[in-house]
Amino acid sequence: MTTWMGLLIGVIICQRLAELFIAKSNEKWMKARGGIEKGKKHYKWFIMLHVLFFLAVIFEASANDTAERQLNYFLFTIFIAAQLGRFWCIHTLGRFWNTKIIVLPGVSLIKKGPYKYMKHSNYLIVLVELFVIPLLVGAYFTAILFPLLHLGLLKLRIPNEERALTKAT
């Protein structure tokens, strides 16, 4: 694995850890105001998927002969666009953004920012990331496997989230 690959993966991991800290803070804030958590059973699978994703990226990039691999600027541009979309989602939802399904009864759905155009826009962004990040570092198997696993988990997550949001409003 090249230095730039290690730095990129390290920065992304640090970003995800910071987001978990924000999510935990938002969870406490919402629960203190009567927020209700739903879909707890499948949440652990998302955590495992993302941990395994980074391990797979690191393993596959390290196992492949990537010593001479140059940064693909097209893929990197897609990655940066996904990061901007990710920040847009988090900023738009503010205190309501979370990695868990937590709803505040009586609070209206947020329908601005990216949610004005697509109901579950953050999930699309994560799907793009799960495809582009491995491609950037030459982890082609990971780029195919993890988006498919993510789509499988979304088949559980989105209906749970829809039910929770419908009941809360």
Side-chain angles (χ1 to χ4, degrees):
M1 185 179 331
T2 66
T3 303
W4 72 263
M5 289 178 187
L7 286 172
L8 177 65
I9 293 168
V11 166
I12 296 167
I13 290 171
C14 288
Q15 175 192 10
R16 297 307 187 268
L17 292 173
E19 288 172 3
L20 286 174
F21 178 78
I22 292 167
K24 192 65 174 171
S25 173
N26 289 347
E27 176 183 359
K28 287 179 185 176
W29 181 85
M30 288 179 73
K31 286 184 174 178
R33 286 156 182 76
I36 302 164
E37 183 176 351
K38 301 288 183 175
K40 292 180 185 181
K41 290 180 183 177
H42 72 270
Y43 183 71
K44 65 183 172 215
W45 296 108
F46 274 95
I47 296 299
M48 286 195 309
L49 176 95
H50 286 272
V51 169
L52 288 173
F53 169 75
F54 285 108
L55 292 174
V57 166
I58 292 166
F59 174 78
E60 191 175 353
S62 297
N64 292 339
D65 184 20
T66 56
E68 301 295 320
R69 187 170 185 88
Q70 298 295 314
L71 179 63
N72 181 314
Y73 291 104
F74 176 72
L75 292 174
F76 190 67
T77 301
I78 294 171
F79 169 74
I80 294 298
Q83 296 316 289
L84 293 173
R86 183 182 199 85
F87 297 142
W88 191 22
C89 289
I90 293 169
H91 176 74
T92 299
L93 292 178
R95 291 297 235 158
F96 298 101
W97 179 81
N98 211 296
T99 57
K100 296 179 178 177
I101 301 172
I102 302 174
V103 293
L104 276 174
V107 175
S108 298
L109 284 178
I110 294 174
K111 295 182 181 179
K112 60 182 182 176
Y115 301 97
K116 179 179 176 181
Y117 307 103
M118 183 180 197
K119 202 168 192 178
H120 299 283
S121 47
N122 192 63
Y123 298 142
L124 176 61
I125 291 165
V126 171
L127 185 67
V128 168
E129 290 174 331
L130 291 174
F131 183 67
V132 170
I133 293 167
L135 288 180
L136 275 167
V137 300
Y140 303 112
F141 179 74
T142 302
I144 294 167
L145 178 63
F146 281 86
L148 292 173
L149 293 173
H150 179 70
L151 286 171
L153 284 177
L154 287 180
K155 285 187 172 196
L156 296 172
R157 172 80 173 216
I158 290 175
N160 272 296
E161 193 168 315
E162 287 294 321
R163 279 191 299 277
L165 292 172
T166 300
K167 288 179 185 175
T169 54

